[in-house]
Amino acid sequence: MTILHRLGRTATRLAALSAFVVAGQAFAQSNAIESVTSGLQGATTYLRVQLKTPLSKAPASFSVNTPPRVALDFVDTGNEAGKSSIDLAQGDVRNVALVQSGNRTRLVLNLKRPLTYTTSIEGKDLVVALSPVAMQGDASGSSTYSFARGDAAASHALRDLDFRRGKDGEGRVVVELSDPGVGVDIRQQGQSIVVDFLKARLPENLRKRLDVGDFGTPVKAVRATQQGDNARLIIEPQGQWEHNAYQSDTQFVIEVKPVREDPNRLATRQGYRGDRLSLNFQNVDVRALLQVIADFTNLNIVTSDSVAGSLTLRLKDVPWDQALDIILQSKALDMRKNGNVILVAPSEELATKEKLELEARQQIAEIEPVRTEIFQLNYAKAENLVKLLTNEKQPVLSKRGSAVPDVRTNKVFVQDTAARLEEVRKIIGQIDITVRQVLIEARIVEADDKFSRNLGAKLGFNDLSSTVYRTVGVTDPVTGTATALNVPVYGAGSKVLGNYATVSGNLTGVTDLSSQNGSGLTGINAQGLGRLTATNNTNFVNLPASAISGFSPASFAVSLFGSSLTRFLNLELSALEADQRGKVVSSPRVLTADQSKATIEQGTELPFLSATSSGASAIQFRKASLRLEVTPQITPEGNVIMEVSVNRDAVGILTPAGYAIDTRQVRTQVLVENGGTVVIGGIYEQFERDTVNKVPLLGDIPVVGYAFKNTTRRNDRTELLVFLTPRVVTDSSLAR
């Protein structure tokens, strides 16, 4: 009975081991890994990879901090070591995994902690030296490739950025660094690959977006921006892809390869990434299937006693994690993974167990002792932190926890369990950081161009056919006797000698007789005659030009009259032209923190009367000012989103209630690159008016008609433009 039992077990194992085959076609490789050995010298661990033929150059490699690993990719190399996993247990190295895919083999070093590494070629061997120097990791705990620690105090730069297409359709982003010591962190955010070059400056000519979709690679676009002190590279792939990165001296390369599925293979959903295998069993025990998968993956599988039954399946070329999922679903089983140990049990059993564990944790938390810890805040406000911790919708503290702020010292006193205090510490580490500032420079330009022209005329006629006398005092030069004498001033009996035409500046001047001919009288002392105006109002056309901006128009008058001074024809032409041009430039500047509203205002407050509820009058004030209100937001790419409100008010006309306010306002939201300038608004006004006042019919006569009409032309143009330039203020800028 014992012999038969052993034979049965042996046959079962042989059948199981022969049932699966690693997927993938067989490729002919020119090189192969034959063995991997290790040695320890002091604190440095040396791994020696023996190959069939010498390498021409060191393989591409990268490291991951979480979990700590070092991966080396061997091109055109197979695995002839006889195993896919090698337990070394040397220093900080746990084991070595060899994974072959097509004609490539990846050697993965599973480490106990992050290490720095160097590679060198010695004959047919590749020597990897691992040193226990802590590498800079990602604070969030996500997987990060770290190619160099980088000197935090040093300043580095990116010299060039290029994109190339590989022979297999892969996209290669090639970055030329200023020196090999530039620290590089790589992580995947959503569907994008984010690469941060620590303490590196990105030149202005490289801050751009490259649209590389036409190259026929998985890469759609590449964006390069300055993110604080770091230069950031954002790669946007599409479709199914995988990536790796390597660095050679000052050249850093990120390679994004397309993942091509064989149409003859079983379709798999995204998320299954295990090595492929084939299974063909009839009525095999579920426990035996789980053992086969455990041997294939080198994982530790613990099966519950309640797992039983048999299964018949045929799977060809599927990922092992998908095969495991199919086996568990067919038997209503579930699994829980802890490290490299997988627990398999019925779903209800696992759910019940987890429920009991959660209830036990809750009971422990209710009786766990609480302690008080004081947190000193540097940048955040204590009141805001307390509101965040005690939020009713998403409380951070437990029911027994409390938080009290101290405004004077900006400290927060938190009392809770040790686990909750650790969460509070993590939250403070994320929010208690410096806030970047933005300097916003504005230029508000108001330009006006005003033109006015007035033309007018006065035309009058007067007939003075009768003699007009004026009594004047005449002194005899011999006797000195003064007598009254009626002197003819104008008319048929006058002795006044006059001109037939007179030119003067205005109509009044040409009809003033005292200006016509000296004394104006013959043989008589006319010293007391005074100014004798012949016509006070003889205008039958009175359409003069009007004043502009308080300036009177210029006039030109002509008077025609006979020798007897009895008939006058008077013509006065007036004209005035004004051309006004002006420009007002206002340049307000304001410095504010990221996502904080800033306001700057300058102007005048005008009083006006207003009625109160009791009926009495009260004096209130209204502002006529220049006001700039802006709220900036710095994007991850280094650009600035601004919510802007610009008011340009001016004092208007005077009304019975006070001065009116002429208001101009621009309110918008714009996206501007760091240091760029944008025109956010423009108000253009043009006022044109032509006015003609004329005598009907006579005013339409060519040339002569100008004596019978008044014309006014006005053309005013005003324009308001607002220019904004945001600049992200760095620490170095503040130092200067």
Side-chain angles (χ1 to χ4, degrees):
M1 190 67 179
T2 303
I3 297 176
L4 293 176
H5 180 68
R6 291 179 179 178
L7 291 175
R9 291 179 57 188
T10 302
T12 302
R13 290 182 178 179
L14 291 175
L17 292 176
S18 62
F20 70 91
V21 178
V22 179
Q25 272 184 324
F27 293 87
Q29 296 89 15
S30 60
N31 204 350
I33 298 176
E34 295 180 345
S35 65
V36 180
T37 58
S38 64
L40 187 62
Q41 295 183 4
T44 304
T45 305
Y46 292 90
L47 272 79
R48 184 174 295 273
V49 183
Q50 186 177 359
L51 295 103
K52 186 186 245 182
T53 59
L55 296 173
S56 59
K57 61 179 181 178
S61 61
F62 64 90
S63 65
V64 181
N65 286 350
T66 307
R69 291 177 179 174
V70 175
L72 295 94
D73 288 333
F74 295 86
V75 183
D76 197 17
T77 304
N79 179 18
E80 294 184 1
K83 56 181 76 175
S84 59
S85 179
I86 304 174
D87 295 328
L88 298 178
Q90 280 284 354
D92 292 321
V93 181
R94 298 181 184 273
N95 55 58
V96 176
L98 293 171
V99 181
Q100 181 177 353
S101 176
N103 63 341
R104 292 173 175 259
T105 299
R106 171 169 292 183
L107 188 146
V108 181
L109 308 179
N110 296 311
L111 311 176
K112 297 179 181 178
R113 57 174 177 168
L115 303 174
T116 60
Y117 69 96
T118 59
T119 59
S120 61
I121 300 175
E122 297 181 1
K124 296 183 179 180
D125 300 341
L126 176 69
V127 180
V128 183
L130 303 167
S131 302
V133 179
M135 301 178 64
Q136 187 172 357
D138 186 35
S140 62
S142 60
S143 298
T144 303
Y145 302 146
S146 300
F147 290 82
R149 293 181 61 198
D151 188 0
S155 180
H156 311 281
L158 275 65
R159 293 180 177 177
D160 194 13
L161 176 63
D162 191 14
F163 182 84
R164 305 170 185 174
R165 186 182 188 275
K167 62 179 182 179
D168 296 329
E170 68 273 15
R172 294 177 180 174
V173 182
V174 182
V175 182
E176 189 68 26
L177 307 175
S178 60
D179 56 274
V182 180
V184 183
D185 286 343
I186 307 177
R187 62 185 181 277
Q188 183 175 343
Q189 289 184 352
Q191 295 296 321
S192 301
I193 303 172
V194 180
V195 185
D196 284 335
F197 299 90
L198 309 179
K199 298 292 182 180
R201 181 181 58 84
L202 183 66
E204 292 289 342
N205 61 325
L206 298 182
R207 300 180 184 181
K208 55 187 177 181
R209 183 180 187 271
L210 302 178
D211 189 356
V212 296
D214 295 338
F215 282 81
T217 69
V219 182
K220 176 174 62 177
V222 179
R223 289 182 295 163
T225 62
Q226 187 72 38
Q227 187 72 18
D229 294 336
N230 304 332
R232 174 168 292 182
L233 201 65
I234 302 175
I235 303 174
E236 302 176 6
Q238 57 185 353
Q240 300 291 329
W241 52 271
E242 61 181 5
H243 75 283
N244 57 38
Y246 54 90
Q247 180 176 344
S248 177
D249 196 17
T250 60
Q251 190 179 74
F252 180 82
V253 181
I254 307 159
E255 192 175 78
V256 183
K257 304 177 183 179
V259 178
R260 297 183 177 89
E261 295 289 342
D262 190 345
N264 297 322
R265 294 181 178 177
L266 182 66
T268 62
R269 74 168 189 236
Q270 189 175 3
Y272 293 128
R273 300 189 179 274
D275 295 335
R276 298 180 180 271
L277 55 80
S278 298
L279 298 173
N280 188 3
F281 291 100
Q282 291 184 357
N283 197 23
V284 64
D285 187 66
V286 176
R287 292 174 175 270
L289 283 177
L290 297 176
Q291 182 64 39
V292 170
I293 294 177
D295 294 338
F296 180 77
T297 59
N298 291 322
L299 294 175
N300 300 315
I301 297 181
V302 180
T303 306
S304 174
D305 294 337
S306 55
V307 176
S310 59
L311 188 66
T312 299
L313 76 165
R314 182 181 183 277
L315 301 177
K316 183 179 180 180
D317 200 17
V318 299
W320 70 265
D321 47 354
Q322 185 183 11
L324 178 60
D325 194 16
I326 293 173
I327 294 172
L328 297 180
Q329 290 180 9
S330 62
K331 291 297 182 180
L333 302 176
D334 203 351
M335 69 175 181
R336 298 292 183 269
K337 188 175 181 180
N338 186 6
N340 63 342
V341 179
I342 297 177
L343 174 63
V344 179
S347 303
E348 296 182 358
E349 181 180 335
L350 291 177
T352 303
K353 182 180 179 182
E354 291 177 349
K355 181 180 179 181
L356 294 176
E357 290 179 354
L358 293 176
E359 292 177 352
R361 293 178 182 177
Q362 184 177 1
Q363 294 176 0
I364 294 174
E366 292 177 354
I367 62 176
E368 185 180 358
V370 297
R371 59 187 181 93
T372 302
E373 190 169 344
I374 304 174
F375 297 95
Q376 176 66 60
L377 303 181
N378 299 320
Y379 306 100
K381 294 184 178 180
E383 305 95 321
N384 297 337
L385 178 61
V386 172
K387 293 179 181 179
L388 177 63
L389 298 179
T390 58
N391 190 293
E392 296 181 356
K393 296 183 179 180
Q394 193 176 1
V396 178
L397 303 178
S398 64
K399 296 180 179 180
R400 298 186 297 157
S402 62
V404 179
D406 185 38
V407 181
R408 186 179 64 87
T409 60
N410 202 32
K411 294 181 179 179
V412 178
F413 299 82
V414 183
Q415 187 180 48
D416 213 325
T417 61
R420 295 300 179 100
L421 291 177
E422 184 63 27
E423 293 182 8
V424 173
R425 189 176 294 104
K426 292 180 180 179
I427 292 175
I428 293 176
Q430 293 292 328
I431 66 175
D432 191 26
I433 58 177
T434 58
V435 180
R436 289 184 292 174
Q437 301 183 80
V438 182
L439 176 64
I440 300 172
E441 300 176 354
R443 288 178 62 86
I444 303 172
V445 181
E446 298 175 87
D448 61 79
D449 187 358
K450 299 181 179 180
F451 175 81
S452 300
R453 183 173 63 190
N454 295 337
L455 299 176
K458 289 182 180 181
L459 183 63
F461 178 79
N462 196 11
D463 185 7
L464 304 174
S465 58
S466 62
T467 304
V468 178
Y469 295 88
R470 180 181 178 92
T471 304
V472 299
V474 181
T475 303
D476 191 301
V478 179
T479 61
T481 304
T483 60
L485 182 65
N486 292 326
V487 179
V489 180
Y490 52 80
S494 69
K495 303 296 184 181
V496 180
L497 299 179
N499 300 322
Y500 291 92
T502 300
V503 179
S504 180
N506 53 61
L507 189 64
T508 303
V510 302
T511 58
D512 189 350
L513 290 182
S514 63
S515 64
Q516 298 293 318
N517 187 17
S519 64
L521 296 176
T522 304
I524 301 177
N525 185 2
Q527 184 177 0
L529 187 60
R531 297 175 63 86
L532 302 178
T533 302
T535 57
N536 294 325
N537 187 8
T538 65
N539 304 324
F540 57 84
V541 177
N542 190 11
L543 298 173
S546 58
I548 301 177
S549 300
F551 293 91
S552 301
S555 58
F556 177 83
V558 178
S559 179
L560 303 177
F561 52 89
S563 60
S564 61
L565 298 178
T566 58
R567 293 179 175 84
F568 294 86
L569 179 63
N570 306 311
L571 175 63
E572 178 182 328
L573 302 177
S574 57
L576 181 63
E577 184 176 300
D579 193 358
Q580 304 175 4
R581 296 183 181 181
K583 183 171 66 173
V584 179
V585 180
S586 305
S587 301
R589 300 197 308 171
V590 62
L591 180 66
T592 182
D594 184 21
Q595 301 186 21
S596 296
K597 181 185 293 185
T599 303
I600 186 171
E601 185 176 11
Q602 180 185 8
T604 306
E605 290 190 354
L606 302 176
F608 68 97
L609 293 176
S610 63
T612 62
S613 58
S614 62
S617 301
I619 298 179
Q620 296 184 359
F621 292 88
R622 291 184 61 189
K623 293 182 178 180
S625 60
L626 170 64
R627 178 184 176 92
L628 173 64
E629 186 178 284
V630 59
T631 304
Q633 177 184 350
I634 304 176
T635 65
E637 294 80 13
N639 300 328
V640 181
I641 299 175
M642 296 183 295
E643 293 185 3
V644 185
S645 176
V646 180
N647 290 76
R648 185 66 174 96
D649 301 337
V651 180
I653 62 175
L654 180 62
T655 65
Y659 284 96
I661 305 297
D662 298 333
T663 303
R664 295 180 178 181
Q665 184 179 29
V666 178
R667 187 186 300 270
T668 184
Q669 184 182 65
V670 292
L671 173 63
V672 192
E673 64 179 4
N674 183 23
T677 301
V678 62
V679 182
I680 67 168
I683 301 176
Y684 181 81
E685 295 180 353
Q686 185 171 1
F687 177 83
E688 295 183 2
R689 173 173 291 180
D690 291 334
T691 304
V692 179
N693 299 311
K694 64 182 180 180
V695 178
L697 300 178
L698 297 178
D700 297 329
I701 300 175
V703 182
V704 180
Y706 284 100
F708 299 92
K709 63 182 177 181
N710 172 280
T711 60
T712 302
R713 173 172 293 181
R714 182 179 176 184
N715 189 355
D716 297 344
R717 293 176 294 176
T718 60
E719 188 172 9
L720 175 65
L721 296 175
V722 181
F723 302 85
L724 284 182
T725 304
R727 303 182 188 276
V728 179
V729 181
T730 60
D731 296 338
S732 58
S733 302
L734 292 175
R736 293 193 296 266

